Amino acid sequence: MDAHLELPPSPWVQRWIGLIRPGGAVLDVACGSGRHARLLASFEVDAVDRQPALFAHPPRGVVLLGADIEDGPWPYAGRRFDGIVVTNYLHRTLLPTLVDSLEPGGILLYETFARGNERFGKPSNPAFLLAPGELLEMVRGRLQVVAYEDLVVDHPRPAAVQRVCARQERVAS
Ligand SMILES: C[S@@+](CC[C@H](N)C(=O)[O-])C[C@H]1O[C@@H](n2cnc3c(N)ncnc32)[C@H](O)[C@@H]1O
């Protein structure tokens, strides 16, 4: 079993979850064991992972989908979400799709590993580690940045991470 399966919800997600429209539609991308989909139970949650079996017994209200979001088509084409949560997962070319999948006012909560994480363990492959400032650059000019951090955290385990909370400012048409 992977170590991430044992992790509690990310403090970053917990901190900013209140910005998501109450009861709105939320997508947990690469949800793994569903630690955030469970946290988001008061929303209408879609959760996707290529290994859906990792997410045992999704609670009522969570729609779990097994899909490869790197090699397959985007399974939520035409859908819009009030919140999108991505943690400990990086597929750079997916970012524009995520931005386009936000409702006006929708919130992106993204947290994943950054360079420097090698000293704490995996991931250590540079392909899976954000370069300095990279997450901020990925959303700059596309979303309004509410908060951004690039730091070493101690909880739930030592890791070098970048994390952003950003809002889709697009006006509804
Ligand atoms: C490190 S885990 C993070 C899980 C969860 N987001 C969390 O923070 O607890 C990365 C997850 O990405 C999923 N994943 C990796 N490649 C994927 C792909 N191509 N399509 C869908 N999910 C993928 C894995 O199955 C795994 O559950």
Side-chain angles (χ1 to χ4, degrees), residues 99 136-145 167-169:
V99 169
L136 186 59
E137 280 307 312
M138 284 166 67
V139 299
R140 194 195 296 277
R142 305 175 192 225
L143 298 174
Q144 182 210 16
V145 176
R167 183 185 285 115
Q168 175 58 269
E169 287 292 278

Side-chain angles (χ1 to χ4, degrees), residues 4 47 78 111 113 125 134 138 151 161:
H4 77 268
E111 175 180 48
F113 302 100
N125 180 339
E134 184 178 355
M138 284 166 67
L151 76 173
V161 302

Side-chain angles (χ1 to χ4, degrees), residues 4 30-32 35 49-51 54 67-70 87-89:
H4 77 268
C31 63
R35 62 184 173 131
D49 200 286
R50 72 176 171 191
Q51 289 184 267
L54 293 173
D68 187 327
I69 55 174
E70 296 176 19
T87 59
N88 295 0
Y89 174 75

